[in-house]
Amino acid sequence: MKYKLVIFDFDGTVADTRHIILTTMQATISEMGLQVASDEQCATTIGLPLWECFKHIYPSINDQTAQQCADTYCRIFDINKHHLTPTLFPGMSHTLSTLHEQDITLAVASSRSHASLVDLLEMLGVRQVFSLVLGCDNVEHPKPHPEAVLTIMKRLDFLPQETLVVGDMPVDIEMGNRAGASTCAVTWGNSSPEQLQHSDPTYIIDSINNLLYF
């Protein structure tokens, strides 16, 4: 690989969290007494900070209600994760281990909270391969703002031309592009190939193993 730093999104990129996210969102919506939303509506919000997810689905709710939704979601998610445990996508463990063994520096930039992110990475047995993990509460500006990528590059001492950002959502690709890094869109997550192509990634891949040949 020609890149020295690879920054991964988590949900829909490293791990298949779609089922637990949608189940938790629907339970939150029910508990909060909001109008029923479809799985498709909920899925379009994956990758956004939690309170923004609910503002996206329900534009008329105020910030306080959106934050209450986010707090409720976190409480229900902590229960659900024990019986709806996310799994790594096929080939992910091998690819991460191989890159790590090749001395490629790995990091995560996620819209998930830092505590939740670390917890899930540890549950999945891959926390140790990542040199730096940033959640939405570690930055001031969420995706697609480039702050997370810029912060990781600065703290780990890499240049944009040495960096590849990997994600399944247009916000991931825009974040990387705005930071001046190369970007790789993955098709096994929560966006269609057409949506990803429109976000102008450097690469689009259908298998994580392809990453080893860049």
Side-chain angles (χ1 to χ4, degrees), residues 103-117:
D103 293 324
I104 307 299
T105 300
L106 308 179
V108 178
S110 173
S111 295
R112 182 176 294 280
S113 73
H114 183 263
S116 176
L117 186 57

Side-chain angles (χ1 to χ4, degrees), residues 190-211:
N190 298 292
S191 295
S192 69
E194 292 76 21
Q195 290 172 315
L196 293 170
Q197 185 66 58
H198 187 68
S199 65
D200 196 27
T202 311
Y203 314 96
I204 297 181
I205 58 174
D206 298 318
S207 168
I208 190 60
N209 295 325
N210 294 341
L211 204 64

Side-chain angles (χ1 to χ4, degrees), residues 118-157:
V118 169
D119 182 39
L120 291 178
L121 288 169
E122 289 178 347
M123 287 176 66
L124 294 167
V126 294
R127 172 63 185 92
Q128 72 280 0
V129 304
F130 294 105
S131 298
L132 183 59
V133 173
L134 288 189
C136 64
D137 47 345
N138 298 127
V139 295
E140 183 177 351
H141 305 290
K143 300 176 184 182
H145 193 282
E147 180 184 355
V149 174
L150 294 172
T151 299
I152 291 171
M153 291 192 298
K154 181 177 181 180
R155 288 175 61 176
L156 297 179
D157 196 24

Side-chain angles (χ1 to χ4, degrees), residues 51-70:
W51 71 273
E52 284 191 30
C53 292
F54 293 98
K55 288 283 286 187
H56 179 83
I57 301 173
Y58 306 103
S60 63
I61 65 173
N62 58 37
D63 290 349
Q64 182 180 1
T65 301
Q67 187 57 54
Q68 288 175 340
C69 289

